[in-house]
Amino acid sequence: MTTDRAGEFGTIYLPALQRIRTLWLNLEPVVAETGYDDPVTPTELRIELTDGLGDADSARFDIQWSTLDNYSFHYVDSADVNWRFDRHPNTHSPDRHFHSPPDARTVDTEPSCIRVGEVSLVTRAVHTMWRVAYESADLNRLKSMSNPP
């Protein structure tokens, strides 16, 4: 879970997590399984992948979406590469920001290229950038698009 937030993130919005799960299952053939961190009161959707970027042979997205339309799409893989797209109040960057690989450090954020705000569009944007980076084996492609999807 992301710990660099300031201000209100909002309550986790389960219908958004369900929509994100459905989209990933429909869009991505390397999804192995999906699940929530807690079946009764989930705070995070986890999407397990059978492959990852570069040398990674598996990966996972930990995803949060709030009732205030704040979000975090955090990627971590078996090669210890981390990055994430976030939208939330904070003290270190614009509300919409990107934490770069390989370690998604809080101090190394940059403005996000994702300008859309609707759950399906943000999900498609993150998926599209992940897929482009995956197919090209180039982590720099994660932030190379202008206002995806």
Side-chain angles (χ1 to χ4, degrees):
M1 183 180 302
T2 303
T3 59
D4 64 343
R5 298 177 182 149
E8 187 177 0
F9 183 78
T11 305
I12 296 300
Y13 188 49
L14 185 57
L17 294 182
Q18 292 167 332
R19 178 71 181 134
I20 294 165
R21 178 186 176 274
T22 299
L23 282 167
W24 272 89
L25 287 169
N26 289 336
L27 293 169
E28 187 49 56
V30 301
V31 171
E33 67 178 88
T34 65
Y36 300 102
D37 61 333
D38 183 311
V40 178
T41 54
T43 62
E44 187 173 84
L45 168 66
R46 294 183 180 148
I47 298 176
E48 302 280 342
L49 307 174
T50 60
D51 202 2
L53 299 174
D55 295 332
D57 57 10
S58 65
R60 183 183 77 240
F61 276 94
D62 298 326
I63 302 167
Q64 296 180 312
W65 194 284
S66 82
T67 54
L68 299 176
D69 289 330
N70 289 313
Y71 59 79
S72 178
F73 284 75
H74 183 191
Y75 171 93
V76 60
D77 66 26
S78 61
D80 289 327
V81 172
N82 283 267
W83 52 267
R84 70 180 191 266
F85 284 97
D86 286 351
R87 180 182 186 274
H88 60 81
N90 66 78
T91 59
H92 57 80
S93 63
D95 286 355
R96 292 179 183 178
H97 55 276
F98 178 68
H99 296 262
S100 297
D103 51 10
R105 291 175 10 129
T106 297
V107 296
D108 294 335
T109 62
E110 55 193 81
S112 177
C113 61
I114 300 173
R115 299 283 175 243
V116 294
E118 196 273 326
V119 65
S120 296
L121 294 176
V122 173
T123 301
R124 288 177 185 278
V126 172
H127 174 263
T128 297
M129 288 182 289
W130 177 84
R131 183 42 88 167
V132 167
Y134 175 75
E135 290 176 359
S136 67
D138 183 358
L139 291 173
N140 290 319
R141 301 293 303 271
L142 291 168
K143 55 186 178 181
S144 67
M145 296 184 170
S146 176
N147 198 21

